[in-house]
Amino acid sequence: MKTIGANYTGAGRCVFTVWAPEKKSMTLRLLDPAERDIPMERTAWGYFSVEVTDIQPGTRYFYKPDGAEAYPDPASHFQPEGVHGPSAVVDHAAHPWQDQSWRGLSFHDLILYELHVGTFTPEGTFEAIIPRLDDLAATGINALELMPVAQFPGVRNWGYDGVYPYSVQDSYGGPEGLKKLVDACHTRGIAVFLDVVYNHIGPEGNYFSLFGPYFTQKYCTPWGNALNFDEEWSDGVRDYFSNNPLHWFEHYHIDGLRFDAIHAVFDMGAVTIWELIHTKVKNLERRVGRSLHLVAESDLNDPKVIKAPEAGGFGFDAQWLDDFHHALYVLLDKEGRKRYGDFGRMEQLAKALTDGFVMSGEYATFRKRKFGASSAGIPGDRFVVFNINHDQVGNRVSGERLCHLIDFERQKIAAALLLLSPYVPMLFMGEEYADESPFFYFVDHSEEQLIQAVKEGRKQEFAAFGADSEPRDPFEEETYTESRIQWEKRTEGKHRIILEWHRKLIELRQTQTVLRNVDKNDIRVTVLGQEGLVMHRQSVGGYDHLLSLFNFSDEEVSYELPSWIEGWNKLLDSKQQHWMQEGDNSATLLP
Amino acid sequence: MKTIGANYTGAGRCVFTVWAPEKKSMTLRLLDPAERDIPMERTAWGYFSVEVTDIQPGTRYFYKPDGAEAYPDPASHFQPEGVHGPSAVVDHAAHPWQDQSWRGLSFHDLILYELHVGTFTPEGTFEAIIPRLDDLAATGINALELMPVAQFPGVRNWGYDGVYPYSVQDSYGGPEGLKKLVDACHTRGIAVFLDVVYNHIGPEGNYFSLFGPYFTQKYCTPWGNALNFDEEWSDGVRDYFSNNPLHWFEHYHIDGLRFDAIHAVFDMGAVTIWELIHTKVKNLERRVGRSLHLVAESDLNDPKVIKAPEAGGFGFDAQWLDDFHHALYVLLDKEGRKRYGDFGRMEQLAKALTDGFVMSGEYATFRKRKFGASSAGIPGDRFVVFNINHDQVGNRVSGERLCHLIDFERQKIAAALLLLSPYVPMLFMGEEYADESPFFYFVDHSEEQLIQAVKEGRKQEFAAFGADSEPRDPFEEETYTESRIQWEKRTEGKHRIILEWHRKLIELRQTQTVLRNVDKNDIRVTVLGQEGLVMHRQSVGGYDHLLSLFNFSDEEVSYELPSWIEGWNKLLDSKQQHWMQEGDNSATLLP
């Protein structure tokens, strides 16, 4: 297998390789310094390749399959003029990396922070994030998770319309900008995760089919034809996507990938694309000597996702645990039952804490079928939990965050449950100080038909959900600018208290041996009616114990501390004046 | 879950149950003794049910969903007037079973015999098979595998157009005919396997969608929309198909099921339909105390198919091993390379014998992709092998059997490799005496459009395969009658020799301890150039050794017996006068 894309090897030499198994010829069209066409050689396995010896980094180019029109490289590393423009040669050796001593972090230790580059700062660039890193680190956050950065149409997009999975969005600062951010993170002890999309290719600027059979009609996704991972000619597609993680790990020193919607990836082959990725990444991990993490977004509630291939699994290290969100949110906000009608019982939150999947075979009215299988016994660090993420906020008609929906005291409960849980927590940018900016859905397509289709689709989606107002126009620039967080608020009033609350909880999480034990045999939950619950965790071997008491109600709830353990000691109390605007709720005790 | 269909419980009582989750009402229309309509009650989980107390077995009935037209029961046990006619009540307690002492056979011990009921005898019925059972048993055959018997349109069909998976074809003799055959088999020590189709429902007489969402548009099969095993409302479909095996095992005393084309069954759910079936059948097995076998036809080359659900597998006991056929056939018939261009090397046959899947990740030109994963180490009794089956014969343009394609000596090699292999062998009706009838593809639809579509489809398929003649008209009755085997030939000339050759090989297989050991650690194969191979098998513990020498060429090939074992003893020699028409080929030796 050749490495696809334009691979600059130094001293003016660059190897161009593209996969087009059914094409008879391929021409490389260089645009710099002057336009010239270079025929490519057909090599094995459906690839065309050519080495050019007088190339400067930054050189723009197109490919012409079968002498047809010129199109950008499907494996482009950079699209300096957007999705329709030429691709550009990147010299990955040029960046002066400062992170030589970086060895990554254990997944177990992570405090993830999901971040949309475009709306995290007024500049909306990678570099603009850097000045905020020290503040994030001071709160205890040690892993950024960037929403997708692959080139998308225009300058405003969540990232899921990306069309060049090997490229870095030009308006964010391109390849060099991302490298500077990663380097700055690593020198501060912060890992960087990237959200990647292998379930579809965005609709605008998608020239893939002009090169090869990337898509199949055997399966349907909500976003059109599925990628071809198991039919004729699928080897090239499998190479393309199974090498993509290596690209991020090697060229950008990325620490982990979050794979978008793996339930929309179909592969009946004997070696699934996930197993192939697992194998390649674990081989790389052995070679580079640092931890490379693979995290799935999965709407399957199937423990197979996080089992090893030897055990019949997909081989992900961890997966998002939506059920934790649903179970907790609906107890905090009764209105939430309209969205999550299958949730609302305290026992479900208890199950989320002890077992993981709440839906482990039960009938889900939302799905009109039985759903899921049990994840009992799987250690806590195989799941990522969150109270809000881009989807939970952005897919509400008014883009409300949790702090818009529940009161101050319940916000503290939510944070405490998240950070004292046996799972790896993820915050959404601004959540740590209860930022009150909305997060809307926004796009910046250049094709009118597509813009209308997106608008109409959103309207219908919300209508189906019974929303009582119309969604914001995704194409309007204000929809985007209003989604920017207000970083300056973090030092003010209630925002400061919430920030400090997060800092304190993270500190407890990272320092208490009990909280560092993710073995599910060492966590028991007692439900206190529908009013609250008590989480009892113990250290490995049962030497230390920690109780977390959560009262979801507005009334006092009494609970007698277990008498078989003596000398309980209070570590944190959300009713203390220090944490108060008003009211009372949670207490954490240690013997 | 209610038991679907018409369940006669004795003394005139019958419970009618049908699944129609989106219908508001359901009416039972009884046709006997006089027409009357009975409203059904909507129960839990989308079922409608009613008990009637004055029913006679044989009573014909329809259902009327939402007061619409009357349709047959999707879970009909009997369609006495064909696929469009009314369903009929069956009293399963009525058959006087004689097989009380039958405990089934170990899968390991089976000699399977695939049989098409319509063309095995001139009568084409279950009962007409019975007089031939003693002859089959005398040859050593101990398991019939019936091609699908679920009601199909008309009287001539392979069975894969069946539309009532709980019913038994009327023209074959219906439910009572099948029970008589099974009973007759069991009293002779013969097991009965049934071919069942869970990947699609035949096109004619398919009223399923008028009852419920049995189909999904998320996946496509070569035969239209896939069955809905993982989308909204799939629970009823999963109940329907996961209870179907129990129906055959309980009401018909069937010993095993062969599941057609499981690669065309799509299920992304956390508990696949195969795991659900595995669980239900293993529970039944514990209860009834006899072996119930689940065998898959799989075009996935994925060991997952025969792994236990605990190991991430589908839970089948065994699967068909097509690669054994391809590897062997192409060595016997050089013409075969036109059909199986990825096969033709002696090393592949060696791999088929030692590992199982020959395609274990290699690029398959036929598929234009890499295919399969390794099955090395999986015991031999998890695979079924064959030299011909209904597909291998029937999907040739002239319906040729192996004996039409290769000479007498090579026929003996084929049989010897099959029966001395570590796998469970399956013969196709007539193969044991080299029956020379063709086996064509035939249908008997009543809808002209469908007939034309089938004809056209077959033509195109063969044209794509590069066949040099047009296929027979599937609708012509002669296409069917010429496919009947000629049983009387078995005592004549070369047919008698081939029959005796099979009997002798089966006897060796069942009596030699070496051949009864299916552990793959105890089988080694030495390739003799491209001319032949030597299979060396040993008993558990390595006490006894058996060499099988196969010479595929027309020349003499020399091989020196391993000297570290002394006292080799010849058990069988295909060159002996007894087995000869002419020529020489195989020898089997034991120390």
Side-chain angles (χ1 to χ4, degrees):
Chain A
M1 217 290 303
K2 300 244 184 176
T3 305
I4 47 173
N7 288 282
Y8 186 78
T9 53
R13 306 183 83 91
C14 185
V15 182
F16 295 84
T17 306
V18 64
W19 179 70
E22 295 178 304
K23 300 297 175 193
K24 293 201 172 53
S25 74
M26 186 69 65
T27 307
L28 168 66
R29 165 162 292 177
L30 296 171
L31 303 183
D32 304 313
E35 194 172 297
R36 58 176 163 149
D37 280 2
I38 301 176
M40 300 177 76
E41 196 191 340
R42 189 174 176 122
T43 61
W45 304 109
Y47 291 89
F48 288 88
S49 197
V50 68
E51 181 171 31
V52 187
T53 55
D54 56 347
I55 290 280
Q56 290 309 307
T59 297
R60 293 167 307 143
Y61 68 98
F62 281 118
Y63 290 133
K64 299 200 301 179
D66 276 351
E69 279 186 67
Y71 305 105
D73 182 355
S76 168
H77 291 196
F78 189 31
Q79 291 291 113
E81 299 168 31
V83 297
H84 301 290
S87 306
V89 172
V90 174
D91 175 10
H92 287 292
H95 179 78
W97 285 100
Q98 302 301 310
D99 70 348
Q100 286 75 8
S101 63
W102 176 251
R103 285 292 165 267
L105 296 176
S106 161
F107 198 77
H108 174 281
D109 294 332
L110 298 181
I111 310 292
L112 288 157
Y113 189 79
E114 191 185 32
L115 182 161
H116 179 259
V117 177
T119 53
F120 182 65
T121 63
E123 300 85 352
T125 63
F126 296 118
E127 288 196 61
I129 298 168
I130 296 173
R132 297 186 177 178
L133 293 177
D134 288 332
D135 271 5
L136 290 174
T139 307
I141 288 156
N142 60 13
L144 301 192
E145 178 165 318
L146 307 179
M147 286 172 67
V149 303
Q151 189 71 34
F152 51 74
V155 296
R156 306 183 301 273
N157 198 286
W158 282 10
Y160 302 99
D161 294 315
V163 273
Y164 297 91
Y166 280 81
S167 69
V168 179
Q169 174 69 10
D170 59 339
S171 61
Y172 286 176
E176 189 51 27
L178 178 56
K179 286 175 190 169
K180 282 183 185 160
L181 172 62
V182 174
D183 219 357
C185 284
H186 285 177
T187 53
R188 286 166 179 82
I190 298 175
V192 182
F193 279 63
L194 199 59
D195 191 342
V196 292
V197 184
Y198 292 4
N199 51 55
H200 75 291
I201 300 287
E204 184 180 343
N206 179 343
Y207 301 106
F208 281 62
S209 293
L210 300 167
F211 287 88
Y214 282 87
F215 304 99
T216 174
Q217 305 197 347
K218 185 172 160 195
Y219 311 112
C220 305
T221 81
W223 313 283
N225 281 342
L227 282 154
N228 171 22
F229 289 119
D230 65 4
E231 286 284 280
E232 286 188 356
W233 301 122
S234 56
D235 290 342
V237 187
R238 293 165 64 85
D239 284 346
Y240 183 101
F241 284 99
S242 62
N243 289 335
N244 188 260
L246 311 182
H247 171 74
W248 296 115
F249 291 135
E250 293 194 285
H251 293 318
Y252 292 90
H253 295 201
I254 291 293
D255 297 284
L257 298 173
R258 177 265 193 192
F259 296 81
D260 184 59
I262 65 148
H263 46 274
V265 171
F266 301 97
D267 185 355
M268 289 272 282
V271 179
T272 67
I273 183 69
W274 306 126
E275 182 175 346
L276 187 60
I277 287 172
H278 170 93
T279 303
K280 289 186 177 184
V281 170
K282 294 300 151 185
N283 280 342
L284 179 64
E285 197 174 58
R286 288 178 196 109
R287 183 156 67 75
V288 299
R290 62 188 175 96
S291 300
L292 307 174
H293 307 289
L294 304 175
V295 182
E297 181 201 21
S298 163
D299 187 38
L300 297 171
N301 273 30
D302 189 344
K304 173 177 67 196
V305 170
I306 47 177
K307 285 187 178 164
E310 308 87 81
F314 288 170
F316 287 100
D317 298 303
Q319 75 152 75
W320 283 21
L321 183 60
D322 286 54
D323 282 6
F324 176 91
H325 166 271
H326 304 339
L328 174 53
Y329 164 59
V330 168
L331 292 172
L332 294 166
D333 179 12
K334 297 287 184 283
E335 282 294 299
R337 296 190 192 186
K338 288 181 192 161
R339 288 173 77 87
Y340 305 105
D342 290 305
F343 290 85
R345 290 182 288 118
M346 192 61 68
E347 290 80 1
Q348 291 175 313
L349 179 57
K351 185 173 176 183
L353 288 165
T354 56
D355 291 19
F357 299 139
V358 174
M359 289 289 167
S360 61
E362 289 81 353
Y363 184 80
T365 53
F366 166 68
R367 298 172 192 273
K368 298 191 175 75
R369 64 181 177 98
K370 291 170 189 159
F371 180 60
S374 176
S375 61
I378 298 180
D381 61 352
R382 311 301 299 273
F383 290 102
V384 173
V385 290
F386 40 81
N387 283 327
I388 57 175
N389 64 32
H390 71 274
D391 261 330
Q392 305 302 347
V393 179
N395 286 330
R396 299 190 75 101
V397 70
S398 305
E400 302 100 325
R401 290 161 169 266
L402 193 61
C403 61
H404 295 109
L405 303 170
I406 62 173
D407 61 26
F408 186 79
E409 291 306 311
R410 286 186 175 81
Q411 291 173 39
K412 288 190 290 184
I413 294 184
L417 258 159
L418 186 80
L419 294 166
L420 301 178
S421 83
Y423 304 115
V424 173
M426 184 177 78
L427 302 168
F428 181 57
M429 58 177 190
E431 180 183 3
E432 74 279 18
Y433 62 88
D435 186 283
E436 286 172 335
S437 313
F439 188 69
F440 292 120
Y441 184 74
F442 40 79
V443 297
D444 185 19
H445 290 295
S446 68
E447 294 165 4
E448 188 54 36
Q449 213 182 341
L450 201 50
I451 295 169
Q452 290 311 322
V454 170
K455 285 185 191 178
E456 207 40 56
R458 294 295 287 183
K459 271 191 205 172
Q460 287 176 7
E461 230 170 86
F462 282 111
F465 241 121
D468 41 16
S469 59
E470 286 222 341
R472 290 285 293 257
D473 180 346
F475 189 67
E476 262 186 23
E477 195 170 348
E478 291 69 38
T479 306
Y480 177 71
T481 53
E482 286 177 31
S483 298
R484 270 189 208 133
I485 62 166
Q486 298 171 281
W487 186 252
E488 61 285 2
K489 291 282 179 70
R490 65 207 317 269
T491 55
E492 301 169 11
K494 63 183 179 185
H495 299 295
R496 189 192 52 72
I497 301 173
I498 290 289
L499 179 63
E500 176 60 14
W501 180 245
H502 277 86
R503 198 201 58 71
K504 180 66 188 170
L505 287 164
I506 293 173
E507 182 189 289
L508 276 178
R509 180 182 176 88
Q510 303 289 40
T511 54
Q512 294 292 330
T513 54
V514 173
L515 294 175
R516 296 181 59 75
N517 177 14
V518 294
D519 186 337
K520 287 303 191 67
N521 190 36
D522 291 323
I523 174 168
R524 304 287 151 176
V525 175
T526 305
V527 168
L528 306 174
Q530 295 302 306
E531 278 70 50
L533 60 75
V534 180
M535 178 166 60
H536 183 166
R537 296 179 62 177
Q538 64 180 21
S539 61
V540 177
Y543 297 107
D544 300 315
H545 295 255
L546 190 140
L547 287 180
S548 306
L549 285 66
F550 299 93
N551 179 4
F552 288 70
S553 75
D554 297 321
E555 311 299 322
E556 212 163 86
V557 173
S558 68
Y559 173 75
E560 198 159 326
L561 294 177
S563 59
W564 57 278
I565 295 167
E566 287 175 7
W568 292 99
N569 171 27
K570 195 187 278 190
L571 282 179
L572 186 64
D573 181 354
S574 70
K575 294 188 303 183
Q576 275 187 329
Q577 198 51 43
H578 185 64
W579 305 114
M580 293 296 281
Q581 278 197 320
E582 59 193 300
D584 72 317
N585 278 105
S586 152
T588 309
L589 298 125
L590 195 77
Chain B
M1 218 294 302
K2 299 245 186 174
T3 305
I4 48 173
N7 288 281
Y8 186 80
T9 53
R13 304 184 85 90
C14 185
V15 182
F16 295 84
T17 306
V18 64
W19 179 70
E22 295 177 303
K23 300 298 174 191
K24 292 197 174 55
S25 74
M26 186 69 65
T27 307
L28 168 65
R29 166 161 294 177
L30 296 171
L31 304 183
D32 305 311
E35 193 171 299
R36 57 175 164 151
D37 280 1
I38 300 176
M40 300 177 76
E41 195 191 342
R42 192 177 172 116
T43 61
W45 305 108
Y47 291 89
F48 289 88
S49 196
V50 68
E51 180 171 30
V52 187
T53 55
D54 56 345
I55 290 280
Q56 290 309 308
T59 298
R60 293 167 309 141
Y61 68 100
F62 282 118
Y63 290 132
K64 299 201 301 177
D66 276 350
E69 280 186 66
Y71 304 106
D73 183 356
S76 168
H77 291 195
F78 190 31
Q79 290 292 114
E81 298 168 33
V83 297
H84 302 288
S87 306
V89 172
V90 174
D91 176 9
H92 288 293
H95 180 80
W97 286 100
Q98 303 301 311
D99 70 348
Q100 286 76 7
S101 62
W102 175 250
R103 284 293 164 266
L105 296 176
S106 162
F107 197 77
H108 174 282
D109 294 332
L110 298 181
I111 310 293
L112 288 157
Y113 190 79
E114 191 186 32
L115 181 160
H116 179 260
V117 176
T119 53
F120 183 65
T121 63
E123 300 85 349
T125 63
F126 296 117
E127 288 197 64
I129 299 169
I130 296 173
R132 296 186 177 178
L133 293 176
D134 289 332
D135 270 4
L136 291 174
T139 306
I141 288 156
N142 60 14
L144 302 192
E145 179 166 317
L146 306 180
M147 286 172 66
V149 304
Q151 190 72 36
F152 52 74
V155 297
R156 306 183 301 273
N157 198 285
W158 282 10
Y160 303 99
D161 295 314
V163 273
Y164 297 92
Y166 280 81
S167 69
V168 179
Q169 174 69 9
D170 59 340
S171 62
Y172 286 175
E176 189 52 25
L178 178 57
K179 286 174 189 170
K180 282 183 184 161
L181 171 61
V182 174
D183 219 358
C185 283
H186 285 176
T187 53
R188 286 165 179 82
I190 298 175
V192 182
F193 280 61
L194 199 57
D195 191 342
V196 291
V197 184
Y198 292 4
N199 51 55
H200 75 292
I201 300 288
E204 184 180 344
N206 179 344
Y207 301 107
F208 280 62
S209 291
L210 300 167
F211 287 87
Y214 282 88
F215 303 99
T216 174
Q217 304 196 347
K218 186 172 160 195
Y219 310 112
C220 306
T221 81
W223 314 284
N225 281 342
L227 282 154
N228 171 22
F229 289 119
D230 66 5
E231 286 285 281
E232 287 188 354
W233 301 122
S234 56
D235 290 343
V237 187
R238 293 166 64 85
D239 284 346
Y240 183 101
F241 284 99
S242 62
N243 289 336
N244 188 261
L246 312 182
H247 171 75
W248 297 115
F249 291 136
E250 293 194 287
H251 294 317
Y252 292 90
H253 295 200
I254 291 291
D255 297 283
L257 298 174
R258 177 266 193 191
F259 296 80
D260 184 59
I262 66 148
H263 46 275
V265 171
F266 301 97
D267 185 355
M268 289 272 283
V271 179
T272 68
I273 183 70
W274 305 127
E275 182 175 346
L276 187 61
I277 287 173
H278 171 92
T279 303
K280 290 186 177 183
V281 170
K282 294 301 150 183
N283 280 342
L284 179 65
E285 197 173 58
R286 288 179 196 109
R287 182 157 65 75
V288 299
R290 62 187 174 97
S291 301
L292 308 174
H293 307 288
L294 304 175
V295 182
E297 181 201 21
S298 163
D299 187 37
L300 298 171
N301 273 31
D302 189 344
K304 174 177 67 197
V305 171
I306 47 177
K307 285 187 178 166
E310 308 87 81
F314 288 170
F316 286 100
D317 298 303
Q319 74 151 74
W320 282 21
L321 183 61
D322 286 55
D323 282 5
F324 177 91
H325 166 270
H326 303 339
L328 174 53
Y329 164 59
V330 169
L331 291 173
L332 294 167
D333 179 13
K334 297 287 183 282
E335 282 294 299
R337 295 189 192 187
K338 289 182 192 162
R339 288 173 78 89
Y340 305 104
D342 291 304
F343 290 85
R345 289 181 290 117
M346 191 63 66
E347 290 81 0
Q348 292 175 314
L349 179 58
K351 186 174 176 183
L353 288 165
T354 57
D355 291 18
F357 299 140
V358 174
M359 289 289 166
S360 62
E362 289 82 352
Y363 184 80
T365 53
F366 167 67
R367 298 172 192 272
K368 298 190 176 72
R369 65 180 177 97
K370 290 170 189 160
F371 180 60
S374 175
S375 62
I378 298 179
D381 61 352
R382 310 302 298 275
F383 291 102
V384 172
V385 290
F386 40 82
N387 283 328
I388 57 174
N389 65 32
H390 70 273
D391 262 330
Q392 304 303 348
V393 179
N395 286 330
R396 299 190 76 103
V397 70
S398 305
E400 302 99 326
R401 290 160 170 265
L402 193 61
C403 60
H404 295 108
L405 304 169
I406 61 174
D407 61 27
F408 186 79
E409 290 306 310
R410 286 185 175 80
Q411 291 173 40
K412 286 191 290 184
I413 294 185
L417 258 158
L418 186 81
L419 294 166
L420 301 178
S421 83
Y423 304 115
V424 173
M426 185 178 76
L427 303 168
F428 181 58
M429 58 178 189
E431 179 183 0
E432 73 278 18
Y433 62 87
D435 186 284
E436 287 170 337
S437 314
F439 188 69
F440 294 119
Y441 184 75
F442 39 78
V443 296
D444 185 19
H445 290 295
S446 68
E447 295 164 4
E448 188 54 36
Q449 212 182 340
L450 201 51
I451 295 169
Q452 290 310 321
V454 170
K455 285 185 191 177
E456 206 41 55
R458 293 295 287 184
K459 271 190 205 173
Q460 287 176 6
E461 231 171 86
F462 283 112
F465 242 122
D468 41 16
S469 59
E470 287 222 342
R472 291 285 293 255
D473 181 345
F475 189 68
E476 261 187 23
E477 196 170 347
E478 292 69 36
T479 305
Y480 176 73
T481 52
E482 287 176 30
S483 298
R484 270 187 209 135
I485 62 166
Q486 297 171 280
W487 187 252
E488 60 286 0
K489 292 281 178 72
R490 65 208 317 272
T491 54
E492 299 169 12
K494 61 183 180 185
H495 301 293
R496 189 193 51 74
I497 300 174
I498 290 289
L499 179 64
E500 176 60 14
W501 180 246
H502 277 86
R503 197 200 59 70
K504 179 66 187 172
L505 286 163
I506 293 172
E507 183 190 288
L508 276 179
R509 179 182 177 90
Q510 303 289 39
T511 54
Q512 293 293 330
T513 53
V514 174
L515 294 176
R516 294 181 60 76
N517 177 14
V518 293
D519 187 337
K520 286 303 189 70
N521 190 36
D522 292 323
I523 174 168
R524 305 287 151 175
V525 175
T526 305
V527 168
L528 307 174
Q530 295 303 306
E531 278 69 51
L533 61 74
V534 180
M535 179 166 59
H536 182 165
R537 296 180 63 178
Q538 64 179 22
S539 61
V540 177
Y543 296 108
D544 300 315
H545 295 255
L546 189 140
L547 286 180
S548 307
L549 285 67
F550 299 94
N551 178 3
F552 287 70
S553 74
D554 296 323
E555 310 301 320
E556 211 163 271
V557 173
S558 68
Y559 173 75
E560 196 157 327
L561 294 179
S563 58
W564 57 279
I565 296 165
E566 287 176 5
W568 292 98
N569 171 26
K570 195 186 278 190
L571 281 178
L572 187 64
D573 180 353
S574 69
K575 295 190 303 185
Q576 276 186 331
Q577 198 50 45
H578 186 63
W579 305 114
M580 293 297 282
Q581 277 197 321
E582 61 194 299
D584 73 316
N585 278 103
S586 152
T588 308
L589 299 125
L590 193 78

